[in-house]
Amino acid sequence: MRKIVLSLILLATAPFVYSQPSDPNLGIIPAPQSVKITGGQFTFSRDAAIMYGNESDRKIAELFRDFLKDNYFLDLPVAKAFIKAPKAVINFTSITYEGLNPEGYTISIMPDQIQVSGRDAGLFYGMETLMQLLPLKKEAAPKIACAEIVDEPRYKYRGLHLDVGRHMFPVPFIKKYIDLIAQYKLNTFHWHLTEDQGWRIEIKKYPKLTQVGGFRDQTLIGHYHDQMPQIFDGTRYGGYYTQAEAKEVVAYAASKFVTVIPEIEMPGHSVAALAAYPQLGCGDDLAAFKVEQKWGVFHDIFCAGKDDTFKFLEDVLTEVMAIFPGEYIHIGGDEAPKTRWEKCKYCQKRIADNKLKNEHELQSYFIQRIERFVNLKGKKIIGWDEILEGGLAPNATVMSWRGVSGGIAAAKMKHDAIMTPGSHVYFDHYQGNPVQEPLAISGFTPLEQVYSYNPTPETLAAEYQKYIIGVQANVWTEYIKTPAHVEYMVVPRIMALSEVAWTLPHKKNYTQFASQRVPVHLARIDQTSTVYRVPVAIGAKDTTIITGRYLLDLTPPVKGAKIYYTIDGYTPKETDKVYENPVSIMVPYNEKRVVKTLVVTPSGKRSAVTTTIISNLSPLLAINPQVRLNQGIKYYYVPGEFNLAASVDPGRAEEEGVVSQINLDKGKDKVRSRSYGMVFSGYINISRPGIYTFSTRSDDGSQLLIDDMMVVDNDGRHTSFEVTGAVNLAAGIHKIQVRSFQLGGSAGLKVFMGHAGSPKTEIPETILFY
Ligand code: ACM
Ligand code: ZN
């Protein structure tokens, strides 16, 4: 009985039933500033027609016609006026638009008419929104709910970047990337065209830039630190975009109201250019530079002392500015070591002649000299936040990537700033547990982290906030070799970026975004050739839950996808149970269950597998060690190459000792092998009984055991990643063991605990004993 009443209420309050009931944003990403559902519906039938206001609006009306034809079998006529009034009209017009924001639009959907109003970009965005309102199912006479939408962007700069220096992507893919940018109402494509590993834009005056600088003899295999010495693929790699191709990209982008900002890196990240023209390096003893074959920051950069460098760069920029009509040229400026400049007689003479204090001021001289040239041509420069060092060029816009402080500093100097911090919008970072993801540089920036970002720092005084002109996500491609992989890294994070860039903070709601709108958008993308990362089932968590009865309550992250699950600890497959309705999992006293889930989309794409341990084990009793305990914890250092923390045997330790806390910091004073295992073993004093969470953040793998029971399994070879578990503990002394291993590259281990809702901290040294 209760069930029936409930569904009646739902029906009565649902404004319409064929799209996204109860979705206040009607499925639109980015969420518009205002949506009012007015009742009734509009039907796209064969009797409908498409109209436009001014001649300049026609293009957009035609784009919408093509969309209906391609997706809903409807071929509607397009005209400025019809002799016989059509039964239903979809009108795209700039005439009626009254908003002030050039990218704003309104949509009025009535039962017999849709009016989309906006000018140029605004009208285009109105059309993009209208497209998103149509149902997922490609039916013949699609219907949409009547509504009034008023919309405009929060920020005027909304960017997505792509590095084509490390790996290159063909022009058709660049266009597809621009489609994605436009679809999510971003307006800037930052094309990172030059790198140490490849110069990718044809410069007619300097043909060797692409003939020589466009190709590297081979490329590093695997992760930077995977093996020492590093190994290479022995395969020549490279290519470049001709100026004609670049112009084609610019024109294509303009048709989607996307501006392309080219980046020509200086003074650093320029080894490919030096390989082509070594005389532009420091000093006279010019080594034969080679286009770089591995990643990183290199000492060889453009010489700031030679006038030839500036002549060269001005020539290059002159050709570049002729291709890219936008107001900005990005000149890089990041990661330029000053070691060569310190030793170069030309650079030192420049410093002396110009009474500069040091090499930072020389970089500032470099950038300012280039800025003057660019400004003279009527354009402005953008640089990474290093251009603040040694003095900011007078008219430069700063792109803040090493956190947000560069952006804040620039804004306080009344310079425009674009926020692109690694903490929130580096799309080359991992989206999930690295052991289940394609190889990435490092980091962990999941969808929710991107979504949570507010580009205008609350700490920035109101008078300076207007200088934060927008936000951008960056896609560096050291580890991204294919278009499919680029798409995987960008979708769905671009949806979160879109809402960060467009929607006012009070209109944002992550739960509503991730559970109602993203699943529909991904289902639409699932019907295309675009690759994307399938999120894990909504409601599935990688953690331990202490309970005797657990309600497995899941929602597909992609509409129409199936969720498979197991409760036996085995990895789910398509042959396992399909999740249909919430399932109550009963766990008898003193037992546990391991629930795993897998999502498979209609096109066959698979998510990562989640693992939730449901534990109804009795509290672990305190032990009574028959020895006197001392403050601290024992460590066992075991040199050697391990792939699993589980296989590190403290019995084979080469060194052991006592430290106050469980981490690798204390070992920093010792010269460690680049590959080793480290085990910490001792006791932990629990003062209050209850459920404790523990987590390890480690690079590479780690495990945490309490009283010989696995509580955190963060094993496997990976970059820094945190995994959480939980355990029910009686008060008193318990055994604790943390095993970890480190295989090449950077090392890290931190161990945290939390109790009764208090924030987690590193395990305090006061409760560790041996
Ligand atoms: C950067 O990530 N080096 C700007
Ligand atoms: Zn020099």
Side-chain angles (χ1 to χ4, degrees):
M1 189 60 204
R2 224 174 107 217
K3 213 169 176 179
I4 292 167
V5 172
L6 206 72
S7 39
L8 281 177
I9 291 170
L10 275 179
L11 269 181
T13 55
F16 57 101
V17 291
Y18 32 82
S19 178
Q20 280 287 294
S22 76
D23 176 356
N25 291 305
L26 296 175
I28 303 161
I29 298 177
Q33 307 309 355
S34 165
V35 177
K36 285 201 188 78
I37 297 161
T38 49
Q41 60 195 56
F42 177 94
T43 305
F44 291 87
S45 70
R46 285 179 198 288
D47 305 328
I50 299 172
M51 292 174 65
Y52 55 90
N54 284 325
E55 197 51 38
S56 60
D57 308 331
R58 176 190 184 138
K59 208 173 54 209
I60 288 166
E62 289 173 350
L63 282 175
F64 191 72
R65 174 200 56 201
D66 296 345
F67 165 79
L68 285 181
K69 197 156 76 181
D70 294 346
N71 292 284
Y72 298 93
F73 326 106
L74 274 172
D75 193 0
L76 301 188
V78 177
K80 201 172 161 95
F82 290 93
I83 296 166
K84 182 166 171 278
K87 267 203 176 140
V89 171
I90 308 124
N91 190 20
F92 293 91
T93 179
S94 54
I95 297 170
T96 48
Y97 187 65
E98 288 167 354
L100 297 177
N101 191 312
E103 297 181 299
Y105 67 91
T106 62
I107 306 179
S108 180
I109 305 164
M110 293 158 281
D112 54 359
Q113 190 193 347
I114 297 174
Q115 173 96 350
V116 183
S117 306
R119 286 185 290 273
D120 302 321
L123 192 61
F124 177 79
Y125 293 140
M127 180 204 63
E128 288 286 345
T129 292
L130 184 59
M131 287 176 175
Q132 292 186 11
L133 291 174
L134 271 91
L136 189 56
K137 211 161 138 243
K138 307 281 163 98
E139 58 207 20
K143 296 176 177 54
I144 64 172
C146 289
E148 298 288 330
I149 299 171
V150 181
D151 202 8
E152 62 179 40
R154 179 181 183 195
Y155 293 106
K156 71 174 184 199
Y157 185 104
R158 304 181 304 279
L160 186 65
H161 150 288
L162 185 65
D163 163 20
V164 295
R166 277 56 177 262
H167 286 100
M168 202 186 150
F169 306 92
V171 169
F173 177 73
I174 300 293
K175 290 183 179 171
K176 197 175 172 204
Y177 198 69
I178 288 166
D179 287 343
L180 206 52
I181 287 173
Q183 198 179 331
Y184 285 101
K185 299 190 177 78
L186 305 177
N187 61 6
T188 307
F189 170 45
H190 172 173
W191 204 1
H192 182 86
L193 285 164
T194 70
E195 258 309 333
D196 300 302
Q197 297 83 6
W199 182 285
R200 304 275 175 245
I201 179 76
E202 175 191 29
I203 301 296
K204 299 204 194 277
K205 194 158 184 183
Y206 299 96
K208 283 200 276 183
L209 279 173
T210 43
Q211 286 164 4
V212 175
F215 296 86
R216 56 180 181 256
D217 287 343
Q218 54 180 1
T219 304
L220 178 73
I221 290 181
H223 223 230
Y224 193 89
H225 296 288
D226 275 359
Q227 46 272 311
M228 285 295 162
Q230 290 165 317
I231 56 170
F232 295 83
D233 65 4
T235 307
R236 189 168 150 85
Y237 180 93
Y240 61 90
Y241 304 98
T242 65
Q243 292 198 358
E245 285 172 326
K247 283 181 186 157
E248 188 185 323
V249 166
V250 167
Y252 185 79
S255 78
K256 306 258 165 157
F257 300 93
V258 171
T259 301
V260 185
I261 297 183
E263 181 178 353
I264 305 296
E265 275 266 23
M266 63 190 79
H269 288 294
S270 48
V271 175
L274 296 181
Y277 297 98
Q279 63 272 29
L280 304 176
C282 278
D284 295 318
D285 179 22
L286 294 162
F289 300 105
K290 269 179 26 188
V291 179
E292 291 295 345
Q293 303 169 4
K294 58 186 181 189
W295 325 123
V297 172
F298 298 91
H299 290 284
D300 290 305
I301 68 176
F302 286 124
C303 178
K306 296 176 181 170
D307 285 332
D308 281 355
T309 301
F310 293 96
K311 169 82 172 58
F312 165 83
L313 287 170
E314 288 173 9
D315 288 343
V316 166
L317 289 174
T318 299
E319 291 194 32
V320 167
M321 286 187 276
I323 305 168
F324 296 92
E327 65 172 333
Y328 289 117
I329 299 292
H330 200 305
I331 49 76
D334 62 320
E335 298 180 322
K338 308 298 185 292
T339 39
R340 297 291 185 259
W341 288 3
E342 284 161 10
K343 301 257 154 50
C344 167
K345 67 178 182 200
Y346 300 104
C347 286
Q348 291 306 314
K349 181 167 187 312
R350 180 84 71 195
I351 286 176
D353 289 353
N354 291 275
K355 303 192 170 46
L356 305 174
K357 278 208 215 57
N358 53 31
E359 287 74 21
H360 289 297
E361 289 199 357
L362 182 57
Q363 162 138 342
S364 175
Y365 167 93
F366 194 117
I367 302 294
Q368 294 200 28
R369 186 163 163 176
I370 293 293
E371 180 184 61
R372 275 197 302 279
F373 179 77
V374 171
N375 286 169
L376 274 174
K377 302 274 175 171
K379 294 190 189 271
K380 300 199 271 191
I381 65 161
I382 302 180
W384 300 109
D385 57 53
E386 285 93 331
I387 67 168
L388 283 154
E389 292 162 10
L392 186 54
N395 305 308
T397 295
V398 171
M399 211 168 241
S400 192
W401 71 280
R402 298 175 301 176
V404 297
S405 55
I408 291 172
K412 285 185 175 165
M413 292 159 73
K414 302 193 173 177
H415 279 248
D416 284 347
I418 296 156
M419 292 304 203
T420 178
S423 55
H424 290 80
V425 284
Y426 263 47
F427 287 0
D428 54 340
H429 287 180
Y430 281 106
Q431 304 178 72
N433 189 329
V435 297
Q436 294 195 55
E437 293 291 320
L439 188 69
I441 188 158
S442 63
F444 177 53
T445 309
L447 189 64
E448 186 165 9
Q449 175 78 357
V450 179
Y451 193 86
S452 71
Y453 186 50
N454 180 2
T456 303
E458 273 154 20
T459 54
L460 186 62
E463 63 195 295
Y464 300 121
Q465 292 193 353
K466 63 170 185 277
Y467 295 105
I468 308 293
I469 60 168
V471 57
Q472 172 175 296
N474 296 336
V475 184
W476 302 100
T477 60
E478 288 93 333
Y479 299 97
I480 304 176
K481 301 187 175 82
T482 62
H485 194 177
V486 174
E487 292 173 349
Y488 182 93
M489 301 308 269
V490 166
V491 187
R493 288 190 285 198
I494 190 174
M495 298 178 196
L497 173 69
S498 158
E499 206 138 314
V500 166
W502 183 281
T503 306
L504 291 171
H506 73 274
K507 293 284 294 178
K508 286 170 65 193
N509 175 335
Y510 181 71
T511 304
Q512 202 270 323
F513 166 79
S515 64
Q516 285 193 306
R517 289 179 286 138
V518 170
V520 179
H521 280 246
L522 289 179
R524 207 169 264 138
I525 290 171
D526 197 66
Q527 295 169 347
T528 71
S529 64
T530 301
V531 172
Y532 64 99
R533 179 179 187 271
V534 180
V536 300
I538 297 165
K541 290 179 197 69
D542 284 307
T543 193
T544 305
I545 295 163
I546 313 281
T547 182
R549 179 188 178 143
Y550 181 69
L551 188 70
L552 185 65
D553 188 356
L554 305 174
T555 311
V558 179
K559 209 160 184 261
K562 289 198 168 79
I563 304 169
Y564 298 91
Y565 73 99
T566 58
I567 61 166
D568 55 11
Y570 286 90
T571 301
K573 298 183 183 57
E574 284 87 337
T575 44
D576 281 300
K577 263 196 195 141
V578 177
Y579 174 90
E580 265 150 12
N581 290 303
V583 186
S584 216
I585 296 173
M586 309 301 291
V587 185
Y589 184 67
N590 234 359
E591 292 188 18
K592 63 177 186 179
R593 299 287 179 269
V594 179
V595 178
K596 296 199 178 219
T597 76
L598 166 74
V599 176
V600 181
T601 75
S603 75
K605 294 181 180 63
R606 300 158 77 89
S607 71
V609 171
T610 63
T611 302
T612 315
I613 298 167
I614 320 293
S615 167
N616 194 17
L617 299 181
S618 56
L620 296 179
L621 296 177
I623 58 170
N624 227 340
Q626 300 300 311
V627 288
R628 212 181 87 84
L629 296 183
N630 304 298
Q631 197 93 54
I633 186 124
K634 288 202 83 166
Y635 75 87
Y636 300 86
Y637 169 67
V638 193
E641 297 205 346
F642 298 94
N643 279 297
L644 287 172
S647 55
V648 181
D649 175 6
R652 295 178 165 250
E654 184 175 276
E655 176 196 315
E656 59 178 80
V658 176
V659 285
S660 59
Q661 264 188 307
I662 306 174
N663 55 46
L664 295 181
D665 301 351
K666 302 289 186 295
K668 285 229 171 98
D669 52 335
K670 297 204 171 63
V671 180
R672 299 277 181 215
S673 150
R674 57 181 295 282
S675 296
Y676 59 88
M678 185 77 99
V679 177
F680 297 86
S681 199
Y683 300 94
I684 183 168
N685 185 14
I686 296 296
S687 57
R688 278 177 298 155
I691 295 167
Y692 284 79
T693 59
F694 287 90
S695 63
T696 67
R697 188 193 300 151
S698 62
D699 169 1
D700 289 283
S702 60
Q703 295 181 318
L704 182 146
L705 297 90
I706 303 281
D707 299 333
D708 300 322
M709 189 179 88
M710 181 76 67
V711 175
V712 178
D713 191 354
N714 188 7
D715 214 351
R717 182 174 176 179
H718 57 75
T719 54
S720 184
F721 192 73
E722 185 166 338
V723 169
T724 302
V727 60
N728 198 351
L729 296 177
I733 299 287
H734 295 265
K735 267 167 82 177
I736 182 167
Q737 188 182 61
V738 175
R739 311 194 271 241
S740 69
F741 77 97
Q742 161 54 27
L743 191 63
S746 54
L749 173 69
K750 289 238 187 292
V751 183
F752 303 95
M753 68 185 289
H755 175 59
S758 58
K760 71 175 188 194
T761 58
E762 268 194 78
I763 299 181
E765 50 186 72
T766 50
I767 64 170
L768 291 173
F769 297 90
Y770 70 96

